Amino acid sequence: EAGVTQFPSHSVIEKGQTVTLRCDPISGHDNLYWYRRVMGKEIKFLLHFVKESKQDESGMPNNRFLAERTGGTYSTLKVQPAELEDSGVYFCASSLRRGQGAGETQYFGPGTRLLVL
Amino acid sequence: GEDVEQSLFLSVREGDSSVINCTYTDSSSTYLYWYKQEPGAGLQLLTYIFSNMDMKQDQRLTVLLNKKDKHLSLRIADTQTGDSAIYFCAEYPKGGATNKLIFGTGTLLAVQP
């Protein structure tokens, strides 16, 4: 079974440009999450989709970030316009279901390393 | 509140045991996780423990949970150079409308040959 995949693996852009990150969750996982790790700090939650609906977007930093999950399959996270402080590693994760139990364990992708110059 | 703390760095010699510590603040957390991130790679789920357990063992890994002190530890027996990585603990708060994990800053484990 394929794991969570993310594209691109690395992205270097200039301040003010737009970048779109993509995440493909594990097949059959309704729950999809975005997290971010800024250099040397903790991994922070950005948002959570259940199928195509945003369940929780409390971690989104500001309105320069837009996440979508059309059709409830893959998701994109767009940053427009990018700022220097947006640099970091963006992780995507997916889980089978919500609620208690090991079935909700979140499996992470390899991350996209974003550098804004 | 939501805050998970870990020491930033641990260095051990190959063959020794490693103990990585973590403290958390949300006493209602139901699951506590350990993830491993190797250089250039993503987060790999190592193990997890349910909050009504005190200990969980999985091959070379032992997780100890002290609920009173809100302290979680990961012991790696016979540490190998391949164990060099960043180890993140994460808590899953109970209830609420979200599944978000609360992560610590990560502990960089360096294994000296």
Side-chain angles (χ1 to χ4, degrees), chain A residues 45-110:
Chain A
F45 168 84
L46 295 178
L47 89 160
H48 169 209
F49 282 100
V50 178
K51 296 185 181 178
E52 67 275 9
S53 300
K54 291 176 185 173
Q55 184 71 27
D56 179 0
E57 50 185 327
S58 62
M60 294 287 264
N62 51 60
N63 59 9
R64 295 186 294 103
F65 289 74
L66 175 63
E68 294 180 323
R69 192 182 182 196
T70 307
T73 54
Y74 71 90
S75 174
T76 57
L77 178 65
K78 181 162 74 173
V79 185
Q80 179 182 29
E83 298 290 343
L84 300 179
E85 64 264 24
D86 300 332
S87 296
V89 183
Y90 289 77
F91 291 104
C92 175
S94 71
S95 70
L96 185 58
R97 60 178 181 264
R98 285 194 63 222
Q100 305 305 310
E104 64 178 88
T105 297
Q106 295 181 28
Y107 296 91
F108 283 75

Side-chain angles (χ1 to χ4, degrees), chain B residues 47-59:
Chain B
T47 186
Y48 62 89
I49 188 167
F50 190 50
S51 59
N52 68 353
M53 300 168 65
D54 297 320
M55 185 182 84
K56 180 178 179 182
Q57 188 151 4
D58 183 1
Q59 300 183 334

Side-chain angles (χ1 to χ4, degrees), chain A residues 35 37 56 98 102 104 106, chain B residues 35 48 92 98-99 101 105:
Chain A
Y35 291 83
R37 186 181 191 220
D56 179 0
R98 285 194 63 222
E104 64 178 88
Q106 295 181 28
Chain B
Y35 285 86
Y48 62 89
Y92 175 74
T98 182
N99 281 26
L101 292 174
T105 52

Side-chain angles (χ1 to χ4, degrees), chain B residues 12-26:
Chain B
V12 299
R13 290 199 175 278
E14 191 173 19
D16 289 349
S17 291
S18 307
V19 179
I20 302 171
N21 295 300
C22 169
T23 58
Y24 60 97
T25 56
D26 192 332

Side-chain angles (χ1 to χ4, degrees), chain A residues 4 14 16 26 30 33 61 74 80 90 93 96 111:
Chain A
V4 177
E14 292 188 349
I26 294 171
D30 286 342
Y33 315 82
Y74 71 90
Q80 179 182 29
Y90 289 77
L96 185 58

